[in-house]
Amino acid sequence: MRKSLFLYLFIIAVLMNVFTYKYFSSKEKSEQKSEASNSKNVTSTSLSDSITSLNDKLYDVNVFSLEQNDRAQNYLFESSKVDNISIFSDKVTQALLAFNDAPEGNKYTDQAKIGNQKFIINKVKLLNHRWIIANYSNGELWGEVLLKYFIEEDGSISFEIMNFYLYPASLN
């Protein structure tokens, strides 16, 4: 009888060890899964925060642009035959950049040609229905210009220099 009692106790002890092992191993796996999902949530939250922050910065940067300025767009829609702001912006930009082909350089940089290097406009940003800011260079010197633009009766675009600045060579 004593032998059978020890046999039963031994079997119960083995079964308890097997169930305990299974319980703790499955608990460890579930903890690892929850940690992985938590780290994914933290990563997705931080990415979401980064995207929101970048969108806010982009909005701040584009405050002074024709594409974001509803009042300037309404003015253009009402006062001229502008139907699409994007097409209109491209038209104005191309009209200004067309002056880069002149042998003396773009006359709206208000800079004379230095040697063989002419000043041309590189980047253009339409600020609203009236103003443009652009940067220009001749490869060695850089500057910026603020222009007014006008839509003529025939649909052509004319420009007028408001102000310009050529950075000194030591700052380049």
Side-chain angles (χ1 to χ4, degrees):
M1 171 123 173
R2 221 177 212 193
K3 283 185 178 183
S4 60
L5 181 64
F6 283 125
L7 181 64
Y8 289 127
L9 288 176
F10 178 73
I11 292 173
I12 290 173
V14 168
L15 286 174
M16 286 181 67
N17 283 335
V18 168
F19 287 123
T20 304
Y21 172 75
K22 283 295 213 178
Y23 171 76
F24 283 114
S25 64
S26 66
K27 183 178 176 183
E28 183 178 329
K29 286 179 184 177
S30 67
E31 285 176 357
Q32 288 174 351
K33 285 181 184 178
S34 68
E35 286 175 9
S37 68
N38 284 341
S39 68
K40 286 180 184 177
N41 289 340
V42 168
T43 303
S44 103
T45 302
S46 65
L47 286 176
S48 176
D49 291 344
S50 296
I51 290 170
T52 302
S53 172
L54 288 174
N55 281 336
D56 291 344
K57 287 179 182 179
L58 182 61
Y59 176 78
D60 290 342
V61 167
N62 283 328
V63 165
F64 293 105
S65 72
L66 180 61
E67 287 81 15
Q68 301 297 324
N69 189 334
D70 292 334
R71 290 184 182 101
Q73 289 179 14
N74 290 337
Y75 176 83
L76 285 171
F77 291 144
E78 292 172 5
S79 67
S80 60
K81 297 176 182 173
V82 175
D83 295 330
N84 186 321
I85 293 298
S86 179
I87 292 171
F88 175 75
S89 295
D90 289 342
K91 179 181 176 183
V92 173
T93 301
Q94 292 307 317
L96 182 59
L97 293 178
F99 292 100
N100 285 348
D101 296 334
E104 294 299 313
N106 194 316
K107 66 182 180 180
Y108 293 109
T109 61
D110 205 29
Q111 302 296 321
K113 186 175 178 181
I114 299 176
N116 291 335
Q117 298 175 329
K118 62 183 183 177
F119 283 93
I120 61 170
I121 291 180
N122 302 313
K123 299 273 184 186
V124 176
K125 182 168 182 161
L126 278 72
L127 299 177
N128 57 23
H129 64 284
R130 188 60 62 216
W131 299 333
I132 296 173
I133 190 166
N135 74 353
Y136 60 89
S137 75
N138 70 351
E140 292 179 11
L141 299 172
W142 295 84
E144 295 167 344
V145 63
L146 185 63
L147 301 167
K148 281 185 183 178
Y149 69 95
F150 305 95
I151 304 165
E152 304 298 334
E153 293 294 326
D154 62 356
S156 64
I157 299 170
S158 63
F159 302 95
E160 177 185 312
I161 297 172
M162 291 175 60
N163 206 344
F164 65 93
Y165 185 78
L166 182 63
Y167 293 101
S170 63
L171 296 178
N172 292 327

